[in-house]
Amino acid sequence: MNLPALTRRQCLTGAAALLAAAALPALATAPTATTLPPMEVWKDPNCGCCKDWIVLMEQAGFAVTVHETGNAAVRARLGLPTRLGSCHTVLVGGYLLEGHVPAADVKKLLAQKPKALGITVPGMPVGSPGMDGPEYGGRKDPYDVLLVTKNLMNSDVSTRVFTSYR
């Protein structure tokens, strides 16, 4: 039985088809969402609301590493003034997060990539993520997530509302 000779083009086309078919199982199992960068959190070892916030970030898809050393020193090192502080400080994707920032705002920050130090929810507003447990009786205080940028002319920072929760 004589088979017709294949041209170089037919061989290359067939090889490409075989490679594409072999890759299909890998493509079918590839994640559809962009992989989120890991979070590094500094908090007080006894803070329950920080633990609750971390659980919410993990549920949102973030891998979290926790440092139980407090956050004042790292906050100062990263350049965030105490007046904008809260109970935990986070580094994620090159940005600083401070306090009870909702996961949706973290993802929005990472998607928009503004030229900024990061975002903060100063204080510990009741009803914010991690401050919304049953012990608060459903209370939800209004709060703002602030975008923090470095001032060019001095060492202070500026803020503007990134997201408002009313």
Side-chain angles (χ1 to χ4, degrees):
M1 171 178 206
N2 285 341
L3 295 175
L6 296 175
T7 66
R8 184 171 189 244
R9 179 172 295 212
Q10 289 170 325
C11 287
L12 290 174
T13 302
L18 284 173
L19 287 173
L24 284 176
L27 293 174
T29 59
T32 56
T34 303
T35 303
L36 296 170
M39 284 187 168
E40 201 168 356
V41 179
W42 287 266
K43 68 176 216 48
D44 183 279
N46 301 312
C47 186
C49 65
C50 293
K51 291 176 187 171
D52 293 344
W53 183 85
I54 290 166
V55 167
L56 293 171
M57 294 304 109
E58 290 171 335
Q59 289 172 349
F62 290 96
V64 182
T65 300
V66 179
H67 304 282
E68 304 276 0
T69 58
N71 69 325
V74 74
R75 183 189 317 128
R77 181 175 55 84
L78 295 172
L80 188 71
T82 304
R83 72 180 184 275
L84 297 174
S86 186
C87 56
H88 56 270
T89 303
V90 180
L91 278 177
V92 61
Y95 290 103
L96 172 139
L97 307 177
E98 182 73 17
H100 295 272
V101 176
D105 289 313
V106 178
K107 291 177 180 180
K108 178 179 157 184
L109 175 75
L110 295 171
Q112 291 181 356
K113 295 179 176 48
K115 187 173 181 179
L117 184 62
I119 52 179
T120 180
V121 174
M124 298 168 66
V126 174
S128 61
M131 293 290 297
D132 54 355
E135 62 271 26
Y136 300 105
R139 182 176 136 198
K140 289 187 181 274
D141 294 345
Y143 68 95
D144 292 326
V145 177
L146 304 176
L147 181 71
V148 181
T149 56
K150 285 273 193 190
N151 291 345
L152 296 177
M153 301 306 287
N154 62 39
S155 62
D156 200 10
V157 298
S158 298
T159 63
R160 71 170 174 81
V161 174
F162 189 67
T163 310
S164 191
Y165 292 90
R166 300 285 176 242

